[in-house]
Amino acid sequence: MKFLFITLFPEQIEQAAGHSIIKRAVDAGLVEVSCINPRDFAADRHRTVDDTPFGGGAGMVLKPEPMVAAIRAAKTKLPAARVIAMCPGGRTLRQSIVEEYAHSKQDLILVCGHYEGFDERIFGWVDEKLSVGDYVLTGGELPALIVMDAVARFIPGVLGKMASAVEDSFSTGLLEYPQYTRPVTFEGIEVPEVLRNGNHALIDRWRRKEALKATWLRRPDLLGELNKTDAKLLAEIKQELEGAENG
Ligand code: 4GS
Protein backbone atom coordinates (compact mmCIF):
# COMPACT_ATOMS: atom_id res chain seq x y z
CA MET A 1 0.00 0.00 0.00
CA LYS A 2 1.26 3.48 -0.89
CA PHE A 3 1.09 6.55 1.34
CA LEU A 4 1.88 9.90 -0.28
CA PHE A 5 2.15 12.88 2.04
CA ILE A 6 1.62 16.41 0.77
CA THR A 7 3.69 18.38 3.23
CA LEU A 8 5.91 21.44 3.63
CA PHE A 9 8.02 19.33 6.05
CA PRO A 10 8.89 16.04 4.30
CA GLU A 11 11.79 15.48 6.75
CA GLN A 12 9.24 14.99 9.53
CA ILE A 13 7.57 12.19 7.55
CA GLU A 14 10.83 10.56 6.47
CA GLN A 15 12.15 10.60 10.00
CA ALA A 16 8.98 9.01 11.40
CA ALA A 17 8.94 6.32 8.70
CA GLY A 18 12.59 5.47 9.42
CA HIS A 19 12.09 3.52 12.64
CA SER A 20 10.78 0.28 14.04
CA ILE A 21 7.82 -1.50 12.46
CA ILE A 22 7.10 1.04 9.71
CA LYS A 23 10.75 1.05 8.62
CA ARG A 24 10.70 -2.75 8.43
CA ALA A 25 7.48 -2.62 6.39
CA VAL A 26 9.04 -0.10 3.98
CA ASP A 27 12.23 -2.16 3.67
CA ALA A 28 10.11 -5.26 2.95
CA GLY A 29 8.19 -3.41 0.23
CA LEU A 30 4.87 -3.80 2.05
CA VAL A 31 4.47 -0.04 2.48
CA GLU A 32 5.68 2.77 0.22
CA VAL A 33 6.12 6.25 1.69
CA SER A 34 6.69 9.35 -0.44
CA CYS A 35 6.25 13.12 -0.13
CA ILE A 36 5.33 15.98 -2.40
CA ASN A 37 6.19 19.47 -1.18
CA PRO A 38 3.74 22.23 -2.21
CA ARG A 39 6.67 24.66 -2.02
CA ASP A 40 8.03 23.02 -5.18
CA PHE A 41 4.87 24.28 -6.95
CA ALA A 42 5.02 27.89 -5.70
CA ALA A 43 5.17 30.33 -8.60
CA ASP A 44 7.19 33.27 -7.23
CA ARG A 45 10.90 33.46 -6.60
CA HIS A 46 10.37 33.41 -2.84
CA ARG A 47 8.40 30.15 -3.24
CA THR A 48 5.54 31.56 -1.14
CA VAL A 49 3.00 29.00 0.08
CA ASP A 50 0.97 31.08 2.55
CA ASP A 51 -0.71 34.46 2.75
CA THR A 52 -2.80 36.58 5.12
CA PRO A 53 -6.50 35.72 5.47
CA PHE A 54 -9.15 37.74 3.63
CA GLY A 55 -11.34 39.41 6.26
CA GLY A 56 -8.43 39.77 8.65
CA GLY A 57 -7.45 37.77 11.71
CA ALA A 58 -4.35 36.13 13.07
CA GLY A 59 -2.21 33.56 11.32
CA MET A 60 -1.59 32.63 7.73
CA VAL A 61 -3.60 30.59 5.24
CA LEU A 62 -2.09 28.11 2.76
CA LYS A 63 -2.47 29.49 -0.76
CA PRO A 64 -4.64 27.31 -3.00
CA GLU A 65 -2.44 27.24 -6.14
CA PRO A 66 0.60 25.36 -4.74
CA MET A 67 -1.64 23.06 -2.65
CA VAL A 68 -3.82 22.07 -5.62
CA ALA A 69 -0.78 21.74 -7.92
CA ALA A 70 0.73 19.36 -5.33
CA ILE A 71 -2.51 17.34 -5.09
CA ARG A 72 -2.66 17.11 -8.92
CA ALA A 73 0.94 15.87 -9.02
CA ALA A 74 0.09 13.31 -6.34
CA LYS A 75 -2.97 12.12 -8.31
CA THR A 76 -0.77 11.68 -11.39
CA LYS A 77 1.53 9.41 -9.35
CA LEU A 78 -1.34 7.55 -7.65
CA PRO A 79 -4.44 7.94 -9.86
CA ALA A 80 -6.63 5.55 -7.83
CA ALA A 81 -5.70 6.97 -4.40
CA ARG A 82 -8.10 8.44 -1.87
CA VAL A 83 -7.25 12.08 -1.06
CA ILE A 84 -7.59 12.85 2.64
CA ALA A 85 -7.03 16.32 4.13
CA MET A 86 -6.04 16.34 7.80
CA CYS A 87 -8.06 18.94 9.72
CA PRO A 88 -9.80 19.24 13.10
CA GLY A 89 -13.16 19.77 11.35
CA GLY A 90 -13.07 16.37 9.64
CA ARG A 91 -14.62 13.02 10.56
CA THR A 92 -12.87 11.79 13.72
CA LEU A 93 -10.59 8.79 13.16
CA ARG A 94 -11.63 5.54 14.86
CA GLN A 95 -10.56 1.93 14.44
CA SER A 96 -13.53 1.18 12.13
CA ILE A 97 -12.32 3.92 9.73
CA VAL A 98 -8.76 2.55 9.92
CA GLU A 99 -10.10 -0.90 8.98
CA GLU A 100 -12.17 0.60 6.16
CA TYR A 101 -9.03 2.19 4.64
CA ALA A 102 -6.98 -0.97 5.14
CA HIS A 103 -9.55 -3.28 3.60
CA SER A 104 -10.20 -1.00 0.61
CA LYS A 105 -6.47 -1.40 -0.26
CA GLN A 106 -6.73 2.06 -1.87
CA ASP A 107 -3.50 4.09 -1.75
CA LEU A 108 -3.76 7.22 0.41
CA ILE A 109 -2.76 10.81 -0.38
CA LEU A 110 -2.59 12.59 2.99
CA VAL A 111 -2.73 16.38 2.77
CA CYS A 112 -1.04 18.10 5.71
CA GLY A 113 -1.78 21.70 6.59
CA HIS A 114 0.25 24.16 8.62
CA TYR A 115 -0.37 27.65 9.99
CA GLU A 116 -4.06 28.51 10.41
CA GLY A 117 -5.25 26.14 7.71
CA PHE A 118 -6.17 25.56 4.07
CA ASP A 119 -7.85 27.94 1.67
CA GLU A 120 -11.42 26.55 1.54
CA ARG A 121 -11.27 26.16 -2.25
CA ILE A 122 -8.78 23.24 -2.12
CA PHE A 123 -11.50 20.92 -0.75
CA GLY A 124 -12.87 20.50 -4.28
CA TRP A 125 -9.74 18.38 -4.91
CA VAL A 126 -10.12 16.35 -1.71
CA ASP A 127 -12.27 13.24 -1.14
CA GLU A 128 -12.62 13.61 2.61
CA LYS A 129 -11.54 15.60 5.67
CA LEU A 130 -10.22 13.63 8.61
CA SER A 131 -9.38 14.61 12.20
CA VAL A 132 -7.40 12.59 14.74
CA GLY A 133 -9.18 14.17 17.70
CA ASP A 134 -10.68 17.30 19.20
CA TYR A 135 -7.54 19.34 19.78
CA VAL A 136 -5.49 21.69 17.64
CA LEU A 137 -1.93 20.91 16.53
CA THR A 138 0.68 23.01 14.74
CA GLY A 139 0.61 20.85 11.62
CA GLY A 140 -1.16 17.97 9.91
CA GLU A 141 2.00 15.84 9.71
CA LEU A 142 1.53 14.04 13.05
CA PRO A 143 -2.16 13.33 12.27
CA ALA A 144 -1.23 11.98 8.81
CA LEU A 145 1.46 9.78 10.36
CA ILE A 146 -1.12 8.45 12.81
CA VAL A 147 -3.32 7.44 9.89
CA MET A 148 -0.46 5.61 8.14
CA ASP A 149 0.67 3.90 11.35
CA ALA A 150 -2.80 2.66 12.24
CA VAL A 151 -3.61 1.49 8.68
CA ALA A 152 -0.21 -0.16 8.08
CA ARG A 153 -0.77 -2.52 11.03
CA PHE A 154 -3.53 -4.21 9.00
CA ILE A 155 -1.32 -4.91 5.97
CA PRO A 156 -0.42 -8.61 6.03
CA GLY A 157 3.21 -9.09 7.11
CA VAL A 158 3.65 -5.68 8.75
CA LEU A 159 3.13 -6.99 12.28
CA GLY A 160 5.09 -10.12 13.12
CA LYS A 161 3.17 -13.38 12.82
CA MET A 162 2.82 -13.37 16.61
CA ALA A 163 0.59 -10.31 16.56
CA SER A 164 -2.66 -9.77 14.79
CA ALA A 165 -4.28 -6.38 14.34
CA VAL A 166 -7.77 -7.86 14.24
CA GLU A 167 -7.44 -9.29 17.75
CA ASP A 168 -6.47 -5.91 19.18
CA SER A 169 -8.31 -3.64 21.48
CA PHE A 170 -10.95 -1.65 19.53
CA SER A 171 -11.04 -4.23 16.74
CA THR A 172 -12.63 -6.51 19.34
CA GLY A 173 -14.78 -3.52 20.30
CA LEU A 174 -13.38 -3.55 23.86
CA LEU A 175 -10.48 -2.00 25.77
CA GLU A 176 -7.43 -4.17 26.42
CA TYR A 177 -7.23 -6.77 29.16
CA PRO A 178 -4.20 -6.46 31.49
CA GLN A 179 -0.96 -8.08 30.28
CA TYR A 180 1.92 -9.46 32.38
CA THR A 181 5.36 -10.88 31.76
CA ARG A 182 8.14 -12.14 34.06
CA PRO A 183 8.91 -11.81 36.94
CA VAL A 184 5.95 -13.49 38.70
CA THR A 185 6.39 -11.08 41.63
CA PHE A 186 7.37 -7.45 41.10
CA GLU A 187 7.51 -5.07 44.09
CA GLY A 188 5.27 -7.52 45.93
CA ILE A 189 2.64 -7.54 43.14
CA GLU A 190 1.87 -10.99 41.74
CA VAL A 191 0.79 -11.97 38.24
CA PRO A 192 -2.77 -13.36 38.53
CA GLU A 193 -2.69 -17.12 39.21
CA VAL A 194 -5.08 -17.96 36.35
CA LEU A 195 -2.53 -16.74 33.75
CA ARG A 196 0.15 -19.08 35.12
CA ASN A 197 -1.69 -22.40 35.32
CA GLY A 198 -1.94 -23.10 31.57
CA ASN A 199 -5.73 -23.59 31.38
CA HIS A 200 -6.46 -21.75 28.13
CA ALA A 201 -10.24 -21.86 28.43
CA LEU A 202 -9.96 -20.18 31.86
CA ILE A 203 -7.37 -17.69 30.56
CA ASP A 204 -9.62 -16.70 27.63
CA ARG A 205 -12.57 -16.28 30.00
CA TRP A 206 -10.48 -14.16 32.44
CA ARG A 207 -9.21 -11.94 29.61
CA ARG A 208 -12.66 -11.42 28.13
CA LYS A 209 -14.00 -10.54 31.58
CA GLU A 210 -11.17 -8.08 32.29
CA ALA A 211 -11.66 -6.44 28.87
CA LEU A 212 -15.38 -6.11 29.59
CA LYS A 213 -14.63 -4.70 33.06
CA ALA A 214 -12.19 -2.06 31.74
CA THR A 215 -14.66 -1.07 29.04
CA TRP A 216 -17.61 -0.91 31.45
CA LEU A 217 -15.60 1.26 33.87
CA ARG A 218 -13.85 3.62 31.45
CA ARG A 219 -15.66 3.53 28.08
CA PRO A 220 -19.22 2.24 28.59
CA ASP A 221 -20.14 4.04 25.33
CA LEU A 222 -18.25 1.28 23.47
CA LEU A 223 -20.46 -1.52 24.81
CA GLY A 224 -23.22 -2.30 22.33
CA GLU A 225 -25.59 -5.28 22.45
CA LEU A 226 -23.86 -8.05 24.42
CA ASN A 227 -24.14 -11.74 23.59
CA LYS A 228 -25.28 -14.14 26.34
CA THR A 229 -21.75 -15.03 27.49
CA ASP A 230 -20.63 -11.41 27.72
CA ALA A 231 -23.88 -10.37 29.46
CA LYS A 232 -23.25 -13.07 32.09
CA LEU A 233 -19.64 -11.95 32.55
CA LEU A 234 -20.73 -8.31 32.91
CA ALA A 235 -23.34 -9.28 35.51
CA GLU A 236 -20.55 -11.01 37.48
CA ILE A 237 -18.37 -7.91 37.16
CA LYS A 238 -21.10 -5.60 38.45
CA GLN A 239 -21.75 -7.91 41.40
CA GLU A 240 -18.04 -8.05 42.26
CA LEU A 241 -17.74 -4.27 41.99
CA GLU A 242 -20.72 -3.84 44.34
CA GLY A 243 -19.15 -6.31 46.76
CA ALA A 244 -15.91 -4.31 46.68
CA GLU A 245 -17.84 -1.10 47.33
CA ASN A 246 -19.81 -2.46 50.30
CA GLY A 247 -17.12 -4.73 51.78
C1 4GS B 1 -5.57 18.22 13.13
C2 4GS B 1 -6.28 17.36 13.97
C3 4GS B 1 -5.01 19.56 13.47
C4 4GS B 1 -5.08 22.65 12.51
C5 4GS B 1 -2.95 21.85 11.51
C6 4GS B 1 -4.52 24.06 12.54
C7 4GS B 1 -2.45 23.29 11.58
C8 4GS B 1 -3.97 21.64 12.59
N1 4GS B 1 -5.48 17.63 11.95
N2 4GS B 1 -6.59 16.29 13.27
N3 4GS B 1 -3.56 24.21 11.46
N4 4GS B 1 -6.64 17.53 15.26
N5 4GS B 1 -4.52 20.29 12.42
O1 4GS B 1 -5.03 19.96 14.61
O2 4GS B 1 -6.10 16.45 12.04
Side-chain angles (χ1 to χ4, degrees), residues 37-140:
N37 191 337
R39 201 172 289 284
D40 295 338
F41 298 87
D44 65 315
R45 70 189 182 87
H46 294 111
R47 304 214 297 161
T48 309
V49 291
D50 60 346
D51 203 344
T52 54
F54 273 115
M60 300 292 271
V61 175
L62 288 168
K63 290 168 64 59
E65 310 95 310
M67 289 309 294
V68 168
I71 295 171
R72 284 201 165 112
K75 284 291 265 181
T76 304
K77 259 183 88 176
L78 303 178
R82 189 195 293 244
V83 182
I84 301 172
M86 304 312 304
C87 39
R91 173 160 81 130
T92 309
L93 189 63
R94 340 180 219 88
Q95 193 70 350
S96 58
I97 299 175
V98 170
E99 290 179 32
E100 174 193 320
Y101 293 159
H103 294 145
S104 81
K105 297 195 170 82
Q106 228 183 339
D107 296 325
L108 298 182
I109 295 169
L110 299 163
V111 187
C112 310
H114 236 87
Y115 316 110
E116 284 312 292
F118 303 110
D119 183 293
E120 186 64 23
R121 292 168 290 184
I122 77 150
F123 295 117
W125 283 264
V126 164
D127 296 319
E128 116 177 70
K129 299 181 192 177
L130 189 68
S131 165
V132 296
D134 294 340
Y135 40 81
V136 181
L137 300 164
T138 59

Side-chain angles (χ1 to χ4, degrees), residues 21-37:
I21 293 171
I22 299 297
K23 175 178 164 39
R24 207 176 54 208
V26 170
D27 291 346
L30 300 169
V31 165
E32 276 184 52
V33 178
S34 62
C35 294
I36 289 182
N37 191 337

